[in-house]
């Protein structure tokens, strides 16, 4: 008993002192514990304490030193940075083609990138793959605006109203008030109606149901006759994504002239699947995600088949 107590004490001292020792059984173990430890900020005012060179602590201190962030604001930006990088990971945006950061988050990201001794290993630990950054992405013009709008939609889908408007500052009027409104974010590219749920859960669809059964408990559905919005209209319609193997369906509300790609992305995230392994088909046509219900002539409550492949 005495030996176990001593081991626990040594482990705690090691963590606080900035060096690593094996964890005891009473502590978290595994990759999840390492990830959470990386995001913890443990600053010390004692010059005699060992200097921490890995994890969020030196990143926060670097942003305070280089960008003039207060410690309180740097910690808030760190939370936003984690949200943004997790979005990039679940959406497989490894080369900055889908999402763009806000100004403060970009400053922290670039500060992390400059730590070339650790950035690659940090990404492998936190996200399983290195997330690339394009320093000229701000010059894209219309493409940049499209990425920003996709980022807002993805944020709302994953985090609901857990928005710090100072951290997520894109230079527009995006705010918690807008996030809490009943209207979905509207963009020229995609607009998906999403309800709000606690941070980290994904409200990507109104619900799921088996084709041969009734809707899950707590979900209310209203029967609708198949219809197509009037010519030139952009009203929302309901689209079902059907798992070809199980017959399970997930339904979404999507504006008639919005592209299907955001629906495909959040469907993959909800199922915990790599989007690259999914194939979407409608009437024998394989879809890329850049089609719209309008271009496909979809009726309300149309069904798109999803086939889950495997890596070769």
């Amino acid at each position: 008993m005495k030996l176990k107590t001593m081991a626990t004490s040594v482990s705690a001292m090691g963590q606080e002192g900035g060096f690593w020792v094996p964890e005891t059984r009473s502590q978290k173990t595994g990759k999840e514990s390492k990830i959470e430890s990386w995001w913890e900020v443990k600053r010390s005012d004692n010059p005699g304490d060992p200097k921490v060179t890995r994890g969020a602590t030196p990143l926060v201190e670097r942003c305070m030193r280089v960008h003039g962030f207060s410690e309180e604001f740097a910690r808030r930006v760190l939370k936003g940075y984690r949200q943004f990088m997790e979005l990039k990971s679940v959406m497989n945006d490894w080369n900055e083609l889908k999402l763009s950061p806000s100004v403060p988050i970009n400053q922290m990201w670039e500060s992390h990138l400059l730590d070339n001794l650790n950035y690659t290993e940090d990404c492998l630990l936190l996200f399983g793959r290195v997330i690339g950054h394009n320093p000229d992405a701000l010059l894209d013009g219309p493409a940049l605006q499209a990425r920003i709008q996709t980022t807002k939609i993805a944020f709302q889908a994953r985090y609901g109203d857990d928005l710090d408007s100072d951290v997520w500052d894109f230079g527009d009027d995006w705010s918690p008030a807008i996030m809490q409104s009943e209207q979905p974010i509207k963009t020229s590219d995609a607009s998906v109606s999403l309800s709000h749920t606690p941070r980290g859960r994904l409200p990507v669809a109104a619900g799921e149901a088996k084709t041969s059964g009734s809707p899950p408990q707590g979900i209310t559905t209203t029967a609708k006759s198949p219809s197509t919005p009037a010519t030139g209209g952009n009203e929302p319609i309901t689209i079902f994504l059907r798992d070809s193997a199980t017959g399970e369906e997930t339904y979404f509300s999507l504006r008639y002239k919005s592209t299907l790609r955001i629906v495909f992305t959040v469907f993959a995230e909800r199922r915990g699947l790599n989007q690259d392994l999914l194939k979407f088909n409608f009437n024998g046509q394989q879809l890329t995600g850049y089609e719209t219900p309008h271009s496909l002539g979809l009726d309300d409550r149309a069904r798109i088949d999803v086939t889950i492949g495997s890596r070769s």
Side-chain angles (χ1 to χ4, degrees):
M1 179 66 69
K2 182 179 294 185
L3 181 61
K4 182 176 180 181
T5 303
M6 291 176 61
T8 304
S9 269
V10 171
S11 178
M13 289 172 57
Q15 288 181 345
E16 304 216 347
F19 60 90
W20 181 90
V21 294
E23 295 178 324
T24 65
R25 292 182 180 179
S26 64
Q27 297 172 307
K28 285 186 177 180
T29 59
K31 185 176 181 180
E32 181 181 351
S33 175
K34 293 179 181 179
I35 290 174
E36 291 304 318
S37 295
W38 193 98
W39 290 106
E40 291 179 2
V41 178
K42 296 181 179 180
R43 302 190 67 218
S44 173
D45 295 326
N46 185 354
D49 289 342
K51 184 175 178 60
V52 179
T53 59
R54 291 291 303 274
T57 301
L59 180 58
V60 163
E61 292 178 338
R62 192 176 307 119
C63 287
M64 293 171 62
R65 184 175 64 252
V66 175
H67 299 298
F69 291 174
S70 67
E71 180 174 352
E72 184 267 341
F73 185 65
R75 288 174 178 266
R76 288 163 57 193
V77 175
L78 180 70
K79 176 182 176 181
Y81 179 54
R82 179 174 186 173
Q83 291 172 326
F84 176 71
M85 297 296 270
E86 287 177 351
L87 284 177
K88 291 180 74 66
S89 176
V90 298
M91 293 182 67
N92 297 319
D93 185 24
W94 310 114
N95 297 312
E96 202 163 356
L97 299 176
K98 301 175 184 177
L99 305 176
S100 285
S102 67
V103 174
I105 291 173
N106 190 60
Q107 289 175 311
M108 181 164 283
W109 188 11
E110 291 183 343
S111 293
H112 195 185
L113 280 157
L114 288 174
D115 182 12
N116 57 14
L117 296 177
N118 294 315
Y119 180 77
T120 296
E121 289 187 15
D122 289 345
C123 281
L124 293 175
L125 167 65
L126 300 174
F127 315 113
R129 183 169 169 177
V130 177
I131 298 180
H133 178 55
N134 178 8
D136 295 327
L138 295 175
L139 305 178
D140 286 355
L144 171 63
Q145 291 304 313
R147 289 196 303 273
I148 289 175
Q149 297 298 344
T150 301
T151 303
K152 294 178 180 180
I153 294 171
F155 183 100
Q156 187 178 6
R158 187 169 180 84
Y159 301 109
D161 60 358
D162 188 15
L163 172 72
D164 186 329
S165 55
D166 292 329
V167 171
W168 288 90
D169 179 13
F170 291 100
D172 54 18
D173 60 353
W174 195 41
S175 67
I178 293 176
M179 294 292 293
Q180 292 166 2
S181 70
E182 295 182 357
Q183 297 298 321
I185 298 172
K186 299 179 180 179
T187 77
S188 59
D189 181 54
S191 183
V192 182
S193 296
L194 300 166
S195 60
H196 299 312
T197 61
R199 177 180 180 272
R201 297 184 61 188
L202 184 62
V204 299
E208 296 180 355
K210 296 287 185 179
T211 53
S212 58
S214 58
Q217 184 178 1
I219 295 176
T220 303
T221 60
T222 303
K224 299 180 182 178
S225 300
S227 61
T228 301
T231 302
N234 194 28
E235 295 302 313
I237 68 170
T238 299
I239 297 174
F240 287 81
L241 297 189
R242 177 172 52 196
D243 187 325
S244 299
T246 65
E248 190 173 12
E249 294 184 335
T250 307
Y251 58 97
F252 298 81
S253 176
L254 179 72
R255 291 189 179 274
Y256 197 56
K257 292 185 179 180
S258 299
T259 57
L260 294 165
R261 63 177 180 148
I262 188 65
V263 168
F264 295 169
T265 297
V266 292
F267 173 84
E269 181 180 349
R270 182 179 183 123
R271 295 298 183 87
L273 299 170
N274 185 334
Q275 189 176 348
D276 295 337
L277 302 181
L278 302 181
K279 292 183 179 180
F280 301 89
N281 294 276
F282 177 72
N283 284 347
Q285 175 185 348
Q286 185 167 331
L287 306 179
T288 64
Y290 289 93
E291 301 85 359
T292 67
H294 178 264
S295 69
L296 294 172
L298 297 185
D299 291 329
D300 189 33
R301 303 177 70 82
R303 283 168 171 77
I304 295 174
D305 292 314
V306 185
T307 302
I308 303 175
S310 59
R311 291 189 182 278
S312 55

